[in-house]
Amino acid sequence: MKMGSSVSSSVVAYGIAIIAISTSTIHGLESKRYASLARSNMAFAVPPSRRQQQVHSSSFSPSSLCMSAEVVPPGTTSNVKTSDDDGKTWWKEYKFKDADFFEKVRQEFPILSIKVGGDGSNDGAEEEESMKELIYLDSAATSHKPLYVTDALTSYYNKINSNVHRGAHSLSRLATSKYEKARDSIAKFVNAYSRNEIVFTSGATESLNLVASSYARSKLTKGDEIIITEMEHHSNIVPWQIVAQQTGATLKYVPLNVETGEFDIETLDSLLTSNTKIVSFQHVSNVLGTINPVSDIVTLVRSKASPDCKIVLDACQSVPHMPVNVQELGVDFLAASGHKMCGPTGIGFLWAHENTLNDMPPYMGGGEMIDDVEMEKSTYAPSPARFEAGTPAIAQSIGLGAAVDYLMNIGMDRIHAYEKELAYYLRRRLCEVDGVKVLGPNEDVPTAALVSFVCDYVHASDLSTFLDMEGVAVRAGHHCCQPLHKAVGHSHSARASLYIYNNKEDIDKFIEHLQDTLSFFGSLEGDNDGDGSDEEFVPFI
């Protein structure tokens, strides 16, 4: 087997790991066959309309989404010297405008200084030598936590651990104060009208299920309509399917515009009727990085849907990365997860207007959520207690409050500006890698700092495994967005996602290791003289 000279020594050393790679890569080395398999899985019902049929019949061309070397970040001026004739080395002199400040931010995340990859088979120096510096590019799945947040968690458990709302003693009063202060911080963070509009949940999944189960199930009847989109996370699809089955409501969806990777507002226009009672969609796609035009969508829904239609916004991928103001957005519900915004796992929040929340039945019954309990009947507390039955996630809530304070101290405008540069640099560099197809909007459309992509020769899961050998952490799979992946003709993709602690060096090292890995798998493709048929496949076991 010939190995390209550009392949790093560590990748060569791990060549034996080829015996463990999935059959999806071995069978998928013939790219045309892989594409054929993907297309065969694209059966997905489309609401009848000429526009939607046109969208689904269009061939998705990831190469058309790649940026040329001359593109500059939307809304910014170029700070890149492109003196080279071929433009291939522009990135060497690229400078992030706020890099020095965010390099200091990076120091507040101890996990980023660790090394990963040792398998425990070697002792001492040999084991240390086999490990790699962590390059974490998976923040869309979960973010790391700064010391400010972990210190808040430790302080709660070490100094004021107690149940809230249930005692007159000092610890209980202190714990209650910290818990409710976190609610105040979140209310300020999203500019809620009242602290009573913030309901603590286990995360965005529970928030969306709460809306579907409590509000929608009690309000919808046969003939009512729910509209979602094809780019949604499963947590914003499955609850609405369940509610539609339970109530007899009709569930519609807006197909992805596969030509642009953007929200198809023309199709939404065609789907809206006076019977539309729920419209639910992502603010930012967790696969494509698309930033959906919330204002335009809200205006259209208000003009054509039922007067009492509720708009639900999944803000998991926007709240951590950009200013989000619920008073300006004009939506009715907003869901977010704490663990994606420097907070602990197992905590998130739902925002809604206080009168809407008080008009909804409880989601769960138990302690805390009641007003008065008799053997025959019970009455319920107003929001937010109505939806926080039982002992809450006290430490996690305090940790989320600390995370929100931490982000506000940095400034969401500053974070968003820095991440726009990260997004531009990552997407542009990826688009220049041979054998990589980037999924997402066209180059002139601003996106979040995450990019999903597919590669020649190698399945996303195997790519992720080999990158991990170099210390690079990316996500592989369908990212809880199977309908979206079917729409673009790929069952899986790899995803690199960035946050405030990432820098230019992270991206450059990622690209270097990606190129080495693709060179390695490309050499396997070059050594394959067969036609890629199953009959010629011999497993390495």
Side-chain angles (χ1 to χ4, degrees):
M1 182 183 299
K2 297 179 180 179
M3 301 296 296
S5 59
S6 62
V7 181
S8 70
S9 59
S10 56
V11 169
V12 175
Y14 278 105
I16 191 64
I18 194 66
I19 63 173
I21 66 176
S22 72
T23 57
S24 57
T25 289
I26 302 299
H27 287 271
L29 287 175
E30 210 287 304
S31 57
K32 293 181 180 178
R33 180 176 179 275
Y34 181 76
S36 175
L37 287 172
R39 286 193 297 270
S40 69
N41 291 324
M42 287 181 63
F44 202 67
V46 184
S49 79
R50 185 180 63 82
R51 169 62 180 166
Q52 293 162 51
Q53 290 169 0
Q54 178 184 352
V55 168
H56 272 254
S57 64
S58 301
S59 60
F60 181 70
S61 177
S63 61
S64 68
L65 306 183
C66 291
M67 288 183 258
S68 65
E70 289 74 29
V71 176
V72 298
T76 68
T77 57
S78 174
N79 59 353
V80 183
K81 297 179 181 179
T82 55
S83 56
D84 292 2
D85 292 338
D86 59 5
K88 292 296 184 181
T89 58
W90 63 270
W91 53 270
K92 292 183 178 180
E93 299 183 62
Y94 191 93
K95 304 292 183 182
F96 289 180
K97 295 176 181 176
D98 213 5
D100 290 343
F101 174 80
F102 282 95
E103 199 60 36
K104 295 177 182 177
V105 169
R106 183 183 177 91
Q107 306 309 311
E108 298 168 6
F109 294 81
I111 196 171
L112 297 176
S113 64
I114 70 169
K115 291 188 175 183
V116 295
D119 60 7
S121 61
N122 299 312
D123 295 327
E126 289 185 1
E127 177 71 6
E128 178 69 18
E129 186 177 350
S130 71
M131 299 180 73
K132 307 292 182 181
E133 293 182 2
L134 174 64
I135 303 170
Y136 188 78
L137 308 180
D138 196 23
S139 292
T142 196
S143 69
H144 288 312
K145 325 304 174 192
L147 288 169
Y148 188 82
V149 171
T150 56
D151 286 351
L153 291 169
T154 302
S155 177
Y156 165 75
Y157 280 120
N158 288 348
K159 297 180 179 180
I160 62 171
N161 179 48
S162 181
N163 214 328
V164 296
H165 305 146
R166 300 186 182 188
H169 59 79
S170 298
L171 289 183
S172 180
R173 294 199 307 272
L174 288 171
T176 299
S177 175
K178 288 282 190 181
Y179 177 77
E180 293 299 339
K181 181 180 180 297
R183 195 188 312 275
D184 291 332
S185 293
I186 296 169
K188 179 181 179 182
F189 187 63
V190 298
N191 197 27
Y193 295 93
S194 164
R195 68 186 312 276
N196 296 331
E197 297 176 339
I198 304 299
V199 176
F200 285 121
T201 66
S202 64
T205 296
E206 185 183 14
S207 296
L208 293 166
N209 275 273
L210 191 161
V211 177
S213 297
S214 179
Y215 177 83
R217 188 165 57 185
S218 67
K219 300 290 186 181
L220 300 184
T221 60
K222 187 174 182 179
D224 291 336
E225 297 169 353
I226 305 166
I227 298 179
I228 57 177
T229 87
E230 198 172 25
M231 69 169 64
E232 298 309 309
H233 189 281
H234 294 164
S235 61
N236 204 25
I237 296 176
V238 179
W240 303 114
Q241 292 174 337
I242 294 172
V243 166
Q245 293 168 357
Q246 292 173 336
T247 63
T250 300
L251 180 61
K252 301 178 178 180
Y253 75 91
V254 179
L256 173 71
N257 187 328
V258 294
E259 293 179 327
T260 66
E262 296 180 81
F263 189 97
D264 192 338
I265 200 161
E266 292 181 22
T267 297
L268 174 63
D269 190 7
S270 71
L271 293 176
L272 287 166
T273 75
S274 60
N275 293 323
T276 303
K277 299 295 181 67
I278 298 282
V279 175
S280 189
F281 62 97
Q282 287 182 322
H283 194 172
V284 174
S285 169
N286 65 303
V287 175
L288 304 176
T290 306
I291 303 174
N292 286 324
V294 177
S295 178
D296 294 341
I297 294 170
V298 169
T299 299
L300 182 59
V301 171
R302 298 301 185 208
S303 68
K304 297 197 68 174
S306 169
D308 57 354
C309 177
K310 299 299 183 185
I311 301 174
V312 184
L313 188 66
D314 174 0
C316 271
Q317 300 295 342
S318 61
V319 164
H321 305 285
M322 62 184 68
V324 171
N325 185 330
V326 295
Q327 295 191 36
E328 293 180 354
L329 289 174
V331 300
D332 299 291
F333 295 96
L334 181 145
S337 288
H339 70 98
K340 298 180 190 294
M341 51 190 291
C342 297
T345 56
I347 190 67
F349 66 92
L350 172 70
W351 169 86
H353 293 286
E354 188 172 1
N355 60 345
T356 299
L357 291 168
N358 287 332
D359 190 43
M360 292 163 53
Y363 180 51
M364 296 190 297
E368 291 293 318
M369 49 74 62
I370 56 88
D371 176 39
D372 186 60
V373 177
E374 300 178 2
M375 292 310 299
E376 294 78 17
K377 60 182 176 61
S378 298
T379 55
Y380 311 121
S383 175
R386 174 174 298 202
F387 303 102
E388 296 179 3
T391 298
I394 304 168
Q396 292 91 328
S397 300
I398 291 172
L400 177 56
V404 165
D405 291 341
Y406 178 80
L407 293 175
M408 286 193 292
N409 286 337
I410 296 174
M412 293 309 298
D413 286 319
R414 190 173 196 175
I415 289 172
H416 186 41
Y418 180 67
E419 290 196 20
K420 283 197 294 185
E421 286 197 281
L422 287 173
Y424 160 73
Y425 187 74
L426 172 63
R427 185 171 290 264
R428 181 175 170 185
R429 289 228 59 196
L430 263 175
C431 284
E432 293 179 349
V433 177
D434 291 338
V436 169
K437 297 178 181 178
V438 172
L439 310 180
N442 294 318
E443 64 269 15
D444 58 342
V445 179
T447 64
L450 66 90
V451 179
S452 296
F453 58 99
V454 295
C455 300
D456 295 340
Y457 318 131
V458 56
H459 188 274
S461 296
D462 301 321
L463 176 68
S464 175
T465 298
F466 271 69
L467 287 174
D468 180 60
M469 294 174 183
E470 300 293 346
V472 180
V474 299
R475 181 68 40 169
H478 51 64
H479 317 306
C480 295
C481 290
Q482 287 180 310
L484 183 153
H485 276 86
K486 290 177 182 178
V488 301
H490 298 283
S491 61
H492 299 80
S493 64
R495 182 184 68 192
S497 53
L498 312 177
Y499 203 20
I500 54 177
Y501 37 69
N502 289 116
N503 57 22
K504 179 179 181 292
E505 184 179 4
D506 287 340
I507 299 172
D508 290 340
K509 287 182 177 179
F510 161 57
I511 296 297
E512 177 185 352
H513 295 313
L514 175 62
Q515 289 172 326
D516 287 350
T517 303
L518 293 180
S519 293
F520 172 68
F521 279 97
S523 70
L524 297 181
E525 169 74 352
D527 287 346
N528 180 16
D529 296 327
D531 62 1
S533 65
D534 290 342
E535 288 75 17
E536 294 189 3
F537 168 65
V538 179
F540 290 88
I541 54 175

